[in-house]
Amino acid sequence: MNYFNSKYFTYKNNELYCEGMSLKDILRETGTPAYVYSQNYFIDRYNELDSAFNEIDHNIFYAVKSNFNLSVIKTFADIGGGVDVNSEGELLRALKVGVPNDKIIFSGVGKTYDEIKIALEKDLLMIKAESEEELVLINEIATILNKTARVGIRVNPDVDPKTHPYISTGLAENKFGVDVPTAIKLYTERDRFKNIDYTGIDMHIGSQITTVEPFVSAVEKLSEIFLNLKKQGIKLKHFDIGGGIGVEYHHERIFSPSEFAKALIPILKKLDCKVILEPGRYLSANAGILIAQVLYTKVNHKKNFIIVDAAMNDLIRPSIYGAYHHIQPVQINKSCKDISADIVGPVCESGDFLAKDRNIQECKRGDYLSVMSAGAYGSTMASNYNARRRPPEILVNGSSFKVIKNRESFEHLFFEEYL
Ligand code: LLP
């Protein structure tokens, strides 16, 4: 079998480590299933992307939806990152760890009245608007609060990001943003929106995008709008290129931050404004793993099954997107042969699998398996289905670790529920 090895998750004497920390030592304390993150991965990816764009005025706003653990948000805030939030809950998380208001952007296709109100009260850097009706509401609430709302319109450029249909967001058929003619109309109808200050323009065309071309086409379309508005005296301060940078889950060849910057900087440079990047997955996916323990193995009608204690409620990506996550043993045992098996959880659905027909070292009850690339959209999409408690999260730095979220208690499962 193949092993997913990196500077951050590596084998020492056939045993998997996160940075300088033995995973087995962590698991003795926390049990399984458990998410484990490398703090230096988060920091290194942030710095790598940041320096690739050094030539132009820019800021990285980490999309916290990919991993909103407070310690993860704080890791980025401590090195100068802003955040992109998509709900009041995400906003409160960012504020709780002390992210300054002018380093927060509020996104989302369906913000509620209360969400717009709190975004205005907290004086966030920018609210993204995704429809004419939303602009009307933002203007109305800003008028009541006697404030001027800083707004960027999310434009749907109708560009194919060539990714999974569930995470494509920049096609005409998708619910996100407004089309180009509507955006131009809204930007130029400023008299209708007296309490709105248009400070930016925004796009986010999809997620897990593996080539630069869709970004280039979309940035070209939006920069045309930007420059046309400038000619009409509407000078925007921010150009937000969204998130979406793909990562390696299974030998994908992804562009590097410098290739990304090289393709976009020539277009962005002409705009003379601050460029905002909103990556989530790029900063977090390969920072994390989910460790599970083998409960049972069995052969059914000649098919091998490895039943582990992590399930679709802990990591739903394989079930809903058919996503590939590499799975490898925490302890390599060279004397064991490789088999092909489905690696499945205890939930009562056939859709509950972490891998299908996967080549893996033969294992036995009690062995630990590591599900790789689980730092993004893993823990944040976990649920309590089957009344299962969501797993703990552990942050490793060098040869020390910290439990940054406990496994949920059983009391948690009854919380705010009444007879
Ligand atoms: N900005 C906005 C407005 C977004 O909607 C998203 C992600 C991002 C930034 C960050 O995108 P990223 O850099 O992580 O690709 N649950 C799916 C991914 C959904 C992405 C939603 N929006 C998955 O597990 O693949």
Side-chain angles (χ1 to χ4, degrees):
M1 68 168 296
N2 297 319
Y3 301 101
F4 200 109
N5 250 321
S6 69
K7 195 174 132 198
Y8 310 90
F9 294 97
T10 187
Y11 285 93
K12 292 181 191 167
N13 294 328
N14 290 329
E15 187 193 325
L16 190 59
Y17 274 62
C18 174
E19 300 195 12
M21 201 52 232
S22 148
L23 289 167
K24 282 194 208 155
D25 286 347
I26 297 175
L27 300 176
R28 250 191 290 282
E29 193 168 309
T30 65
T32 51
Y35 278 100
V36 180
Y37 308 128
S38 153
Q39 189 166 31
N40 282 300
Y41 185 97
F42 293 126
I43 296 170
D44 290 353
R45 293 294 80 67
Y46 178 94
N47 287 332
E48 196 176 11
L49 187 62
D50 195 38
S51 50
F53 280 84
N54 258 345
E55 209 185 314
I56 55 172
D57 184 14
H58 72 281
N59 273 139
I60 297 176
F61 282 67
Y62 168 57
V64 306
K65 59 172 72 75
S66 74
N67 187 323
F68 53 48
N69 182 290
L70 296 178
S71 298
V72 175
I73 301 177
K74 187 161 186 319
T75 299
F76 290 115
D78 284 350
I79 52 175
V83 300
D84 168 75
V85 301
N86 197 66
S87 69
E88 187 169 356
E90 289 187 353
L91 172 62
L92 295 180
R93 285 178 165 274
L95 294 172
K96 187 168 170 73
V97 302
V99 181
N101 60 309
D102 61 353
K103 285 194 158 178
I104 305 177
I105 295 176
F106 206 126
S107 303
V109 70
K111 290 176 223 73
T112 63
Y113 186 101
D114 287 347
E115 285 177 326
I116 294 169
K117 183 161 171 268
I118 188 170
L120 289 169
E121 284 166 350
K122 297 288 177 193
D123 214 16
L124 305 185
L125 178 69
M126 185 162 78
I127 302 176
K128 293 189 206 158
E130 298 214 20
S131 66
E132 182 161 351
E133 285 190 9
E134 187 185 1
L135 277 171
V136 171
L137 185 61
I138 295 172
N139 189 58
E140 192 181 303
I141 301 171
T143 309
I144 296 168
L145 297 178
N146 196 21
K147 287 195 173 248
T148 301
R150 284 185 292 274
V151 169
I153 296 181
R154 176 167 174 178
V155 181
N156 181 328
D158 193 18
V159 163
D160 186 355
K162 300 199 168 58
T163 185
H164 191 284
Y166 289 5
I167 52 176
S168 282
T169 50
L171 282 167
E173 70 209 47
N174 300 135
K175 68 180 173 181
F176 298 98
V178 301
D179 57 29
V180 175
T182 309
I184 296 171
K185 173 178 103 71
L186 293 169
Y187 276 118
T188 48
E189 283 181 342
R190 277 184 304 171
D191 288 349
R192 259 180 85 195
F193 304 112
K194 291 212 164 44
N195 286 58
I196 284 181
D197 177 16
Y198 285 126
T199 54
I201 186 162
D202 166 69
M203 59 178 243
H204 171 75
I205 56 174
S207 199
Q208 183 56 10
I209 302 171
T210 55
T211 60
V212 293
E213 288 74 23
F215 287 102
V216 171
S217 314
V219 167
E220 273 171 348
K221 281 197 182 179
L222 263 74
S223 64
E224 219 172 281
I225 306 174
F226 184 101
L227 292 170
N228 272 334
L229 293 174
K230 197 171 172 182
K231 272 196 210 131
Q232 298 177 51
I234 303 167
K235 172 80 178 85
L236 304 177
K237 293 188 195 118
H238 302 126
F239 190 111
D240 184 337
I241 66 171
I245 304 171
V247 301
E248 185 185 345
Y249 285 98
H250 189 212
H251 308 311
E252 295 89 342
R253 156 87 182 96
I254 314 280
F255 51 88
S256 66
S258 58
E259 286 168 319
F260 187 54
K262 208 169 136 209
L264 297 181
I265 287 178
I267 319 168
L268 295 168
K269 231 177 174 173
K270 296 187 200 133
L271 307 180
D272 184 28
C273 70
K274 188 184 281 291
V275 170
I276 291 173
L277 294 95
E278 259 172 38
R281 188 190 315 265
Y282 164 78
L283 295 172
S284 57
N286 280 315
I289 56 176
L290 171 66
I291 309 275
Q293 192 169 29
V294 176
L295 296 173
Y296 306 104
T297 62
K298 67 175 175 184
V299 183
N300 255 6
H301 306 286
K302 292 196 183 141
K303 193 174 173 107
N304 293 307
F305 289 91
I306 300 172
I307 301 146
V308 297
D309 61 0
M312 65 190 293
N313 74 295
D314 303 304
L315 179 69
I316 203 169
R317 303 192 70 255
S319 302
I320 61 175
Y321 312 119
Y324 181 97
H325 284 262
H326 199 67
I327 302 184
Q328 58 198 43
V330 168
Q331 181 71 53
I332 297 176
N333 186 343
K334 294 244 159 74
S335 62
C336 287
K337 64 176 197 300
D338 283 357
I339 57 165
S340 172
D342 283 11
I343 299 161
V344 301
V347 162
C348 54
E349 296 205 25
S350 295
D352 176 29
F353 60 89
L354 298 170
K356 292 245 183 203
D357 301 318
R358 189 62 64 79
N359 191 43
I360 185 145
Q361 169 186 302
E362 192 169 35
C363 34
K364 57 179 189 321
R365 180 168 164 77
D367 287 353
Y368 292 124
L369 294 179
S370 173
V371 184
M372 308 307 286
S373 317
Y377 307 108
S379 169
T380 54
M381 293 177 79
S383 76
N384 293 119
Y385 187 39
N386 271 204
R388 286 170 53 87
R389 297 175 295 159
R390 284 177 295 181
E393 294 175 87
I394 294 106
L395 187 64
V396 173
N397 192 320
S399 42
S400 62
F401 74 97
K402 202 161 108 189
V403 176
I404 54 172
K405 186 184 176 197
N406 279 329
R407 186 179 310 287
E408 284 175 342
S409 63
F410 284 109
E411 289 72 38
H412 180 104
L413 296 180
F414 312 126
F415 186 60
E416 301 279 16
E417 210 172 306
Y418 306 99
L419 288 172

